[in-house]
Amino acid sequence: MLNLLSNAIKFSYESSIIRVKVTTSQVDDETRKIQILVKDSGIGMTERDMSKLFTPYFKTTDAKSREMNASSHGIGLNICKKISKALGGDITVDSEYGIGCTFTFTFTAKIVA
C-alpha cells in the first residue's frame, strides 16, 4: 500500500486528490479477502504504459511524466505484483490519461484470534 501511495503522490499535481479505500470480505470462517484501492486524480497513463507497468524499471513514454521528473517506476510495482500473487491476490490498474489512476491490490489473510 505504501508503494501505491508513494506513486500516487509522485505522479500527481499539487491540486490532485488521492483516496485510499480498504474493504474486506469473508472467504471462509478463517480467511478474509482484503482489497485496497488507491485512486488519484493525477496525470494518468496511456494504454501502452499500462501494458508494461508491472515490469521492472519501466519508464513511462508520455511527456507529462517527464515534465514532472517522475517517469521511472523502478521495481516497486513488480514486487507488489509478486507479493499479491503469493498471498492469493492480484494487483491491477485502471487509468485514463490526463484524469488519474486506480490501483486495486487484493490478498487473502487468515484471521488470528
Side-chain angles (χ1 to χ4, degrees), residues 4 17-18 23 31 36-37 43 51 54 66 71 73-74 83 88-89 92-93 96-98 100 104 112-113:
L4 298 178
I17 296 171
I18 299 170
T23 58
T31 310
I36 300 170
L37 269 72
I43 63 176
S51 70
F54 296 102
R66 286 193 302 273
S71 63
H73 290 272
I83 290 170
T92 59
V93 62
E96 188 172 341
Y97 186 66
T104 305
V112 178

Side-chain angles (χ1 to χ4, degrees), residues 2-112:
L2 293 176
N3 183 271
L4 298 178
L5 283 170
S6 174
N7 285 345
I9 292 166
K10 180 167 59 169
F11 290 94
S12 292
Y13 304 110
E14 283 185 30
S15 61
S16 294
I17 296 171
I18 299 170
R19 294 187 174 106
V20 177
K21 180 180 179 182
V22 179
T23 58
T24 64
S25 58
Q26 187 169 347
V27 175
D28 57 40
D29 289 342
E30 299 176 353
T31 310
R32 296 287 188 271
K33 179 179 179 181
I34 300 168
Q35 181 183 63
I36 300 170
L37 269 72
V38 177
K39 183 175 184 162
D40 68 67
S41 60
I43 63 176
M45 283 183 279
T46 64
E47 287 286 331
R48 180 178 178 200
D49 287 343
M50 280 193 301
S51 70
K52 299 176 186 177
L53 187 62
F54 296 102
T55 58
Y57 303 108
F58 165 73
K59 284 190 170 279
T60 57
T61 58
D62 67 282
K64 288 182 183 183
S65 291
R66 286 193 302 273
E67 287 172 13
M68 298 173 76
N69 292 319
S71 63
S72 177
H73 290 272
I75 60 171
L77 289 174
N78 180 264
I79 292 170
C80 288
K81 184 90 164 171
K82 289 178 181 180
I83 290 170
S84 64
K85 292 278 190 188
L87 294 173
D90 199 7
I91 185 170
T92 59
V93 62
D94 184 38
S95 181
E96 188 172 341
Y97 186 66
I99 303 296
C101 296
T102 301
F103 282 86
T104 305
F105 177 67
T106 60
F107 61 95
T108 56
K110 295 262 184 208
I111 299 170
V112 178

